[in-house]
Amino acid sequence: MKKVFAVLTLVLCFGVTAAFAVDGAGLYKTRCAKCHRDGSESSNAGGGVVLKGQSADEIEMKLNGYVDGSYGGKKKALMSRMVAKLSAEEIKALAAHIGSL
Ligand code: HEC
């Protein structure tokens, strides 16, 4: 019986951690890579921007700028749609991932 509780506790701990930690790399792959590839280039739809080499702070500032409309170029409406559904935690995780490219 003790073993069962130990296993249950482990499963619960992992489950809770997984639910709170945002996977920036995974998010990037599913939501951003289509346009921004591996960060070293972008497709036409991605506006040709290069994300690689920019710091996490810079990226976070730009993403938040797209959220509140204070940042962006000719295609900012498109990026605003991309970030509109992201939480602050997701933006931080994405920025940290891009900053590490
Ligand atoms: C459908 C294509 C598309 C997708 C998907 C997309 N983007 Fe973009 N992204 C663009 C375009 C186009 C621009 C240039 C917008 C402008 O004119 O400001 C851009 C610009 C950016 C910039 C600003 C770069 C700079 O230096 O000015 C960042 C940062 C960025 N995208 C991050 C992301 C992240 C993170 C995601 C995933 C959540 C994402 N993008 C998904 C098309 C896309």
Side-chain angles (χ1 to χ4, degrees), residues 31-32 35-36 45-47 54 62 66 71-75 79:
R31 307 254 191 109
C32 323
C35 290
H36 296 307
Q54 300 197 44
K62 288 179 177 179
Y66 281 122
Y71 179 80
K74 269 189 289 189
K75 294 185 173 173
M79 264 313 293

Side-chain angles (χ1 to χ4, degrees), residues 1-9:
M1 205 54 188
K2 252 187 192 164
K3 252 191 194 158
V4 174
F5 276 119
V7 169
L8 267 180
T9 312

Side-chain angles (χ1 to χ4, degrees), residues 28 31-32 34-36 45-47 49-51 54 59 62-63 66 71-76 78-79 82 86 94 98:
Y28 184 85
R31 307 254 191 109
C32 323
K34 186 175 77 146
C35 290
H36 296 307
V49 297
V50 176
L51 302 182
Q54 300 197 44
I59 296 291
K62 288 179 177 179
L63 292 179
Y66 281 122
Y71 179 80
K74 269 189 289 189
K75 294 185 173 173
K76 73 187 232 184
L78 191 157
M79 264 313 293
M82 296 298 143
L86 297 174
L94 278 165
I98 294 168

Side-chain angles (χ1 to χ4, degrees), residues 23-86:
D23 173 14
L27 260 183
Y28 184 85
K29 220 169 153 184
T30 52
R31 307 254 191 109
C32 323
K34 186 175 77 146
C35 290
H36 296 307
R37 316 270 199 226
D38 67 354
S40 60
E41 57 167 355
S42 289
S43 65
N44 280 340
V49 297
V50 176
L51 302 182
K52 206 173 189 160
Q54 300 197 44
S55 71
D57 281 351
E58 242 171 315
I59 296 291
E60 190 177 342
M61 186 268 289
K62 288 179 177 179
L63 292 179
N64 285 322
Y66 281 122
V67 173
D68 65 18
S70 64
Y71 179 80
K74 269 189 289 189
K75 294 185 173 173
K76 73 187 232 184
L78 191 157
M79 264 313 293
S80 296
R81 277 203 303 278
M82 296 298 143
V83 294
K85 285 183 224 124
L86 297 174

